[in-house]
């Protein structure tokens, strides 16, 4: 940090966005500092419980959810707090609600025991129980807990990255991040033996055209790598037995699709843009092809 450093709080203010949205994003960034500290404490203990999707939880999953819930619900204009860790949203009961917030508190937490990067994903929506689709998203962000803790957000005015500095402030690293038309890396989720023939042919095409494999098993670091390298493709396809894939629309895919579109890339389930997929239920899943335009268009050609 030096005297030229631009703090997140100041950057948000200068963006001229709604003051309540600004406070909400800032509050989430503070929650991210607590979660970062939680991870520094090497919180690898299993909780002995399962989340709404019947996945085993760590203590860190539960603690991250509690930190975010308590801080977000305390804001007197929040309607619903929905979390991937919980079956139903928490209704805040405030008089004049403005935003609902959906979070994946600690995505990729099965990587904590092997000391790989994990992340928090947040989508901010109008004050409704369930939006119709992702086009209603107001802002999205993720916090990546790696060697550095970084925060990447958009309110629809470009994509900006901040780094948590040792003094405890998120400081601007890059503003208006843009992807190129094409990249050189691919992150293919799911077991190859479960892929459909069309998806397998698409991935083989990327390999044949010299794309490098970059897959950690954590959506946030894998997507972040594509964004920061200026292009490439992350995919988690519909599988033979689970055509809806693994990842959740509201908690994971809408926020990343919004960020990706803002950075000049795109995201699809193979048929329609991810943000246009109608949302019918809270924990709905969808296949995803997300990254720079060239690779996403190529995926669509194979899947059509
Ligand atoms: P966990 O939270 O159970 O670690 O799952 C992580 C995740 O939801 C997402 O971060 C990854 O992209 C995806 O699953 C990886 O799934 P595969 O292990 O099936 O590749």
């Amino acid at each position: 940090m030096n005297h030229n450093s631009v703090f997140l709080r100041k950057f948000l203010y200068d963006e001229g966005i709604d003051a309540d949205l600004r406070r909400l994003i800032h509050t989430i960034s503070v929650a991210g500092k607590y979660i970062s500290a939680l991870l520094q404490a090497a919180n690898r203990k299993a909780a002995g419980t399962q989340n709404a999707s019947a996945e085993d939880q760590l203590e860190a999953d539960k603690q991250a959810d509690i930190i975010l819930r308590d801080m977000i619900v305390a804001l007197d204009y929040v309607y619903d707090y929905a979390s991937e860790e919980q079956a139903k949203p928490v209704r805040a009961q405030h008089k004049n609600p403005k935003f609902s917030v959906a979070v994946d508190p600690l995505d990729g937490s099965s990587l904590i025991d092997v000391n790989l990067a994990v992340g928090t994903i947040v989508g901010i929506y109008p004050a409704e129980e369930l939006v119709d689709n992702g086009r209603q998203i107001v802002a999205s962000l993720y916090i990546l807990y790696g060697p550095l803790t970084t925060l990447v957000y958009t309110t629809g005015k470009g994509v900006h990255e901040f780094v948590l500095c040792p003094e405890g402030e998120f400081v601007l690293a890059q503003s208006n991040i843009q992807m190129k038309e094409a990249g050189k890396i691919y992150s293919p989720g799911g077991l190859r033996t479960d892929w459909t023939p069309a998806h397998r042919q698409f991935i083989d095409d990327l390999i044949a055209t010299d794309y490098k494999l970059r897959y950690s098993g954590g959506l946030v670091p894998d997507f972040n790598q594509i964004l920061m390298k200026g292009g490439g493709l992350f995919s988690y396809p519909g599988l033979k037995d689970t055509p809806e894939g693994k990842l959740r629309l509201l908690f994971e895919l809408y926020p990343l699709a919004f960020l990706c579109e803002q950075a000049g890339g795109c995201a699809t389930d193979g048929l329609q843009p991810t943000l246009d997929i109608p949302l019918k239920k809270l924990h709905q899943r969808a296949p995803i092809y997300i990254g720079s335009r060239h690779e996403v268009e190529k995926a669509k050609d194979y899947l059509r």
Side-chain angles (χ1 to χ4, degrees):
M1 201 163 84
N2 61 43
H3 65 279
N4 290 322
S5 299
V6 178
F7 293 176
L8 175 63
R9 185 197 292 265
K10 162 95 168 51
F11 193 89
L12 285 165
Y13 185 84
D14 289 347
E15 251 196 330
I17 55 170
D18 177 277
D20 291 332
L21 180 60
R22 190 174 81 221
R23 270 205 293 155
L24 178 53
I25 294 173
H26 185 256
T27 299
I28 295 164
S29 78
V30 176
K33 295 183 203 177
Y34 287 118
I35 296 170
S36 173
L38 184 77
L39 294 169
Q40 299 294 319
N43 205 335
R44 302 170 180 187
K45 214 171 102 205
T49 49
Q50 293 192 321
N51 68 11
S53 305
E55 297 161 344
D56 292 335
Q57 289 177 303
L58 294 178
E59 270 304 324
D61 285 315
K62 297 180 90 166
Q63 292 303 321
D65 188 28
I66 291 168
I67 291 168
L68 284 158
R69 184 198 64 200
D70 286 355
M71 294 183 69
I72 290 170
V73 166
L75 296 173
D76 63 6
Y77 49 84
V78 167
Y79 184 60
D80 271 353
Y81 168 84
S83 162
E84 194 178 286
E85 297 300 322
Q86 296 170 31
K88 286 186 185 155
V90 175
R91 176 87 21 106
Q93 313 284 2
H94 298 309
K95 271 200 193 125
N96 296 307
K98 213 165 179 179
F99 302 113
S100 286
V101 184
V103 311
D104 184 351
L106 213 45
D107 186 83
S109 57
S110 67
L111 302 172
I112 289 178
D113 59 354
V114 291
N115 199 23
L116 282 173
V118 296
T120 296
I121 307 173
V122 181
I124 300 174
Y125 301 92
E128 288 172 26
E129 185 166 338
L130 213 55
V131 289
D132 296 331
N133 58 56
R135 293 283 167 209
Q136 288 177 263
I137 199 165
V138 174
S140 72
L141 66 92
Y142 61 80
I143 301 170
L144 172 56
Y145 312 99
L148 293 173
T149 294
T150 58
L151 183 153
V152 176
Y153 87 92
T154 186
T155 58
K157 297 178 172 189
V159 177
H160 319 295
E161 182 195 31
F162 293 78
V163 175
L164 183 59
C165 65
E167 289 87 348
E169 286 288 347
F170 278 105
V171 169
L172 181 66
Q174 300 179 66
S175 56
N176 296 310
I177 297 166
Q178 282 289 307
M179 284 189 200
K180 300 186 195 84
E181 186 60 26
K184 271 292 160 206
I185 54 178
Y186 74 108
S187 277
L191 273 181
R192 193 175 171 89
T193 46
D194 293 337
W195 291 351
T196 61
H199 180 75
R200 189 188 291 221
Q201 282 160 17
F202 164 59
I203 297 294
D204 286 345
D205 182 329
L206 294 181
I207 295 167
T209 46
D210 293 337
Y211 277 75
K212 272 189 196 163
L213 174 64
R214 290 286 182 267
Y215 191 72
S216 75
L219 176 59
V220 177
D222 286 337
F223 175 73
N224 185 71
Q225 179 165 200
I226 286 161
L227 181 63
M228 297 305 160
K229 296 284 187 198
L233 186 98
F234 175 92
S235 58
Y236 207 108
L239 303 174
K240 283 181 199 154
D241 292 339
T242 46
E244 69 284 3
K246 178 179 184 188
L247 303 175
R248 286 82 169 173
L249 264 179
L250 187 68
F251 302 110
E252 294 159 319
L253 303 186
Y254 286 160
L256 296 192
F258 188 38
L259 281 158
C260 194
E261 284 196 3
Q262 282 292 310
C266 49
T268 178
D269 62 357
L271 297 173
Q272 58 186 328
T274 299
L275 290 174
D276 290 335
I277 301 173
L279 187 71
K280 306 258 168 51
K281 57 177 186 179
L282 197 65
H283 289 269
Q284 186 172 325
R285 299 170 195 255
I288 183 83
Y289 295 81
I290 184 168
S292 39
R293 291 188 166 275
H294 171 72
E295 294 83 352
V296 175
E297 286 305 321
K298 186 178 270 206
K300 280 160 62 184
D301 289 344
Y302 274 95
L303 296 162
R304 199 162 276 146

